[in-house]
Amino acid sequence: MSATNLSYCTLSLKAIIFTKEWSLHPWDSQTISDALLQSFYRTGIIHKPILLAKEDGRFDILCGFKRLQFALANAQVENIECLVFAKDTKVTVLLDTLLTDQNLYHPLSLAEKAKFIEICTCYLNQQDIILMYLERLQLRKQASTIKELNNILQQDPIMITEIHAGRLQEKMVAELLRLPESSDRLALVLLFRDLAMGDGKQKRFFTLIRDLAFRQNSSISAFLKNPTISEILKHPVLNVPQKLQHLNTYLQHQFCPLSREAEENFARQVQALRLPAQCTVSHSPSFEKDDVTLSITFGNFADCARMAPKINTLLMNNN
């Protein structure tokens, strides 16, 4: 930040233009969380908003949109103390200030990084953006990165909000963006959100649902409207973990119906053997072979050594 271009001023709120030109999160700039609202009420606006002077004597908001929004709606004041950049300030100084101010509160979300790069493209060429900002944002220093980030901002606001909140990780975002239909992306995002799926569950259900929809020559959004799935998701009694369990069981059965049936039949056959608790029987992976394995757990090696001769004799007699 250039000290020669930055001044401390008390300004009339009427002189401030409430535009979102410089906002890194315009999708939620109109909402103030309860926690932030209570903080404002307790301590006031500690960090001064940062403005950019305009030719007509008014001011654009560079940083602090919500702080100014609170002052306008709740503080019942006409003037506010601000830091102001001169109208001829270099754009790189403004962009650096924007990043620095945001990082005072939390690291930029993937959606905020996308928005920052979009703002950069209004003032800088692509090569300068790559050299000056991608590494600083912990992004790949490639032209394709800028294109991918821009694609994020074209998505449904619900998806952007989930990315901004960190509920969709970067790898899952990339998987979703590979889907050709926006309705399919949104259907999955809503499913992940409504069932509060973490990253691991998102990956597992994404693959299952995508492959099942493809197998049935259906879109993902249409597949998720399947009556059985709808019944699970809208069940009035099941809680979220139970819905997840039922949905997973249904999808697994749809994905490998024969394997599921074989698994259930094998379990019934093992149960009919009435083996002691220390014995387990397992089949080959995916029932690729007819072989089965009988495992016996002993309390210690001495018990195993004591039983070994009897086992050897039994096996030799059966051969």
Side-chain angles (χ1 to χ4, degrees):
M1 171 182 313
S2 174
T4 58
N5 278 6
L6 190 65
S7 58
Y8 179 86
C9 302
T10 299
L11 301 174
S12 168
L13 284 168
K14 294 180 180 179
I16 298 172
I17 305 171
F18 280 76
T19 61
K20 302 173 187 176
E21 179 183 350
W22 295 93
S23 175
L24 294 183
H25 34 255
W27 47 84
D28 77 339
S29 60
Q30 297 297 330
T31 59
I32 302 178
S33 68
D34 289 340
L36 184 57
L37 196 60
Q38 292 306 314
S39 174
F40 285 154
Y41 279 126
R42 284 194 303 268
T43 62
I45 300 173
I46 296 177
H47 298 288
K48 301 294 182 286
I50 303 174
L51 309 180
L52 175 62
K54 293 174 63 71
E55 294 284 352
D56 60 3
R58 295 188 297 169
F59 303 86
D60 278 335
I61 302 172
L62 184 69
C63 308
F65 189 98
K66 291 189 178 183
R67 284 166 263 172
L68 289 164
Q69 186 183 35
F70 170 80
L72 185 66
N74 302 96
Q76 298 180 341
V77 296
E78 295 182 359
N79 301 315
I80 188 166
E81 297 174 342
C82 300
L83 296 173
V84 179
F85 275 115
K87 57 181 178 292
D88 59 351
T89 303
K90 289 183 178 179
V91 71
T92 51
V93 173
L94 301 178
L95 292 169
D96 288 344
T97 301
L98 194 57
L99 278 185
T100 302
D101 182 81
Q102 183 58 58
N103 279 311
L104 289 174
Y105 302 96
H106 61 75
L108 269 66
S109 69
L110 183 61
E112 287 174 322
K113 292 177 183 181
K115 186 60 184 177
F116 177 79
I117 294 302
E118 183 184 63
I119 293 171
C120 288
T121 59
C122 297
Y123 303 97
L124 303 174
N125 63 52
Q126 188 177 86
Q127 192 57 35
D128 284 342
I129 295 172
I130 293 171
L131 292 175
M132 296 171 63
Y133 293 112
L134 291 192
E135 185 174 359
R136 187 171 168 183
L137 292 170
Q138 298 180 316
L139 297 168
R140 291 177 291 107
K141 294 177 66 175
Q142 300 174 9
S144 60
T145 301
I146 297 177
K147 183 178 179 180
E148 291 164 5
L149 291 171
N150 180 64
N151 194 12
I152 289 174
L153 298 179
Q154 310 310 311
Q155 303 310 305
D156 188 279
I158 293 175
M159 183 170 172
I160 295 176
T161 298
E162 292 299 293
I163 294 171
H164 177 57
R167 290 186 288 269
L168 287 176
Q169 298 301 308
E170 189 170 346
K171 289 184 178 179
M172 179 48 61
V173 172
E175 292 284 2
L176 289 167
L177 291 179
R178 291 190 186 101
L179 298 175
E181 298 296 331
S182 60
S183 57
D184 289 346
R185 296 193 286 271
L186 181 58
L188 284 166
V189 169
L190 290 172
L191 180 73
F192 297 160
R193 184 195 68 180
D194 294 345
L195 294 183
M197 292 189 198
D199 192 38
K201 287 187 175 66
Q202 288 178 14
K203 291 175 184 176
R204 184 165 69 252
F205 278 89
F206 173 86
T207 302
L208 267 175
I209 293 168
R210 179 198 60 193
D211 293 352
L212 280 169
F214 178 78
R215 182 187 294 179
Q216 297 181 16
N217 196 28
S218 166
S219 68
I220 289 173
S221 57
F223 175 78
L224 288 174
K225 293 176 183 176
N226 172 298
T228 303
I229 294 177
S230 295
E231 183 180 351
I232 293 171
L233 297 180
K234 296 177 182 178
H235 198 284
V237 176
L238 296 177
N239 58 31
V240 168
Q242 290 169 331
K243 288 180 180 179
L244 274 170
Q245 182 180 356
H246 281 70
L247 181 60
N248 182 60
T249 299
Y250 172 75
L251 294 175
Q252 291 288 354
H253 180 68
Q254 293 296 306
F255 194 76
C256 301
L258 295 179
S259 175
R260 177 74 178 180
E261 184 178 344
E263 194 75 56
E264 292 173 351
N265 185 51
F266 182 80
R268 286 193 295 270
Q269 290 176 315
V270 171
Q271 187 176 15
L273 295 176
R274 298 183 181 279
L275 295 169
Q278 62 266 39
C279 295
T280 58
V281 181
S282 57
H283 57 74
S284 63
S286 302
F287 296 95
E288 293 173 354
K289 300 179 180 179
D290 292 334
D291 297 354
V292 296
T293 301
L294 171 64
S295 302
I296 306 174
T297 302
F298 296 97
N300 51 55
F301 185 80
D303 289 346
C304 178
R306 189 162 51 251
M307 289 296 298
K310 295 180 180 180
I311 294 172
N312 287 334
T313 299
L314 179 62
L315 292 176
M316 284 188 294
N317 289 340
N318 285 341
N319 289 336

